[in-house]
Amino acid sequence: MAAAPLVVVTGASHGIGRAVASAFAAQGHPLLLVARHPTPLEGLPSEQIATAAVDVSDHEALETAIRAAEALHGPTECLVNCAGFLRIGTLEDRDPADISYEVDVLLKGVLNGIHAVLGDMKARNSGTIINISSVGDRAPGPDGEVYHACKAALRSLAGSLQKGEAKSGIRVINVAPGFVRTNIHAEMGISFEEYGERLGHPDFISAEELAEIILFCWKQPQRICVRDIVVMPTGSDFG
C-alpha cells in the first residue's frame, strides 16, 4: 500500500487549521504544520509531523520550510491555506501598517503558499489546493472591510486558478465557512461572548465539524473538484 502523501497546513496552531491538521493526521498523512508559533500534534509520531515557525507573508521562509518537508515525505499533494485573522474597527482609524500586514497574511500569504507548490503539482499533473475563505467572501458585513475584501479575492483566485490549471489535473477548492467556534475573537480584542452577541447569538459549528467537510472534499476522486462550498449552521439566515 502506497504511503499517504504530504499535506501542508498553514495557520495550524489553533482553530480551523489545527482541526484540519488533526483530521488529515488521523488519515495517516505526513504533515507540515506552518504557524508563527507552531506546536506538535499530541499522540502522533514525530516523524509524521513537521513544524515550521514561519509567517506566511514571508515567501522565502515558507518555501524553504515546504522544501524541507518534501525532502522527507515527498511532494506536497495537498496545501490547505488556513492562516488568517480578523481585525475590526473604523477603516480610517486603523494604522496603515496594520492594514498592510492583514493583506500580507490573508491574501499574499495564500499566494506565497500556492506559488511554492504549484510548479511541482503541474509537473505531476496532480495536486489539491484548499483555501479557507469565509462566507464574507460573498456576503460582507460592516467593519472588517479589509478581511472581507481579502476573502473575496481568495474566492476569485480559486475560480481563476481552477480554470487555468484544470488541464493539469489540479483541484482548487474555496471553502467559505461562517460562524465557526474558534478564537478569532481574540484578535478582535473581545470575548467570545461579546463576539456572539455582535453576531446576534447564532449557532456555531465546531472547527472539527468543518475539518471533516474539508476532508470529504479532499477524499473525492482527483477528477472531482468541489470548487466552492459555503458551510453554515442550518439555523442561520446569514449570507
Side-chain angles (χ1 to χ4, degrees), residues 4-238:
L6 175 65
V7 176
V8 176
V9 182
T10 70
S13 61
H14 58 268
I16 294 170
R18 192 70 170 179
V20 167
S22 295
F24 275 94
Q27 298 291 311
H29 289 277
L31 293 171
L32 170 62
L33 308 182
V34 178
R36 285 177 296 174
H37 306 289
T39 55
L41 294 174
E42 295 181 3
L44 293 171
S46 58
E47 60 268 20
Q48 182 186 352
I49 310 296
T51 60
V54 169
D55 190 316
V56 294
S57 66
D58 186 336
H59 177 272
E60 183 177 358
L62 180 57
E63 184 170 33
T64 296
I66 291 173
R67 295 288 94 83
E70 290 177 336
L72 294 173
H73 300 294
T76 301
E77 187 63 25
C78 183
L79 167 66
V80 190
N81 288 302
C82 296
F85 55 85
L86 169 62
R87 291 179 181 164
I88 60 174
T90 304
L91 186 61
E92 66 269 24
D93 291 335
R94 291 190 58 191
D95 184 340
D98 187 50
I99 292 172
S100 179
Y101 179 66
E102 189 170 0
V103 175
D104 285 346
V105 172
L106 294 180
L107 179 55
K108 292 182 182 179
V110 172
L111 290 167
N112 287 341
I114 293 173
H115 185 270
V117 302
L118 186 58
D120 190 56
M121 287 182 175
K122 290 176 70 170
R124 293 182 289 110
N125 290 307
S126 181
T128 300
I129 296 165
I130 304 174
N131 295 336
I132 307 305
S133 181
S134 162
V135 69
D137 68 10
R138 67 206 69 200
D143 294 323
E145 294 92 346
V146 178
Y147 177 87
H148 291 129
C150 288
K151 293 302 186 179
L154 284 192
R155 186 185 181 201
S156 177
L157 170 65
S160 179
L161 193 62
Q162 179 60 55
K163 290 180 179 179
E165 302 305 334
K167 62 183 181 296
S168 300
I170 296 170
R171 301 184 298 182
V172 185
I173 301 171
N174 185 72
V175 179
F179 301 154
V180 181
R181 182 158 190 147
T182 68
N183 66 345
I184 194 170
H185 59 88
E187 284 284 352
M188 298 166 64
I190 60 177
S191 67
F192 182 79
E193 289 70 23
E194 185 177 352
Y195 177 59
E197 184 176 351
R198 290 188 181 189
L199 295 173
H201 300 290
D203 290 333
F204 285 87
I205 60 177
S206 71
E208 290 73 23
E209 288 169 327
L210 180 62
E212 287 301 317
I213 293 169
I214 293 166
L215 191 64
F216 169 83
C217 294
W218 152 258
K219 292 175 76 171
Q220 299 311 300
Q222 189 68 24
R223 64 184 182 84
I224 295 175
C225 179
V226 181
R227 298 188 180 190
D228 187 25
I229 181 171
V230 176
V231 182
M232 292 285 290
T234 300
S236 172
D237 61 0
F238 181 82

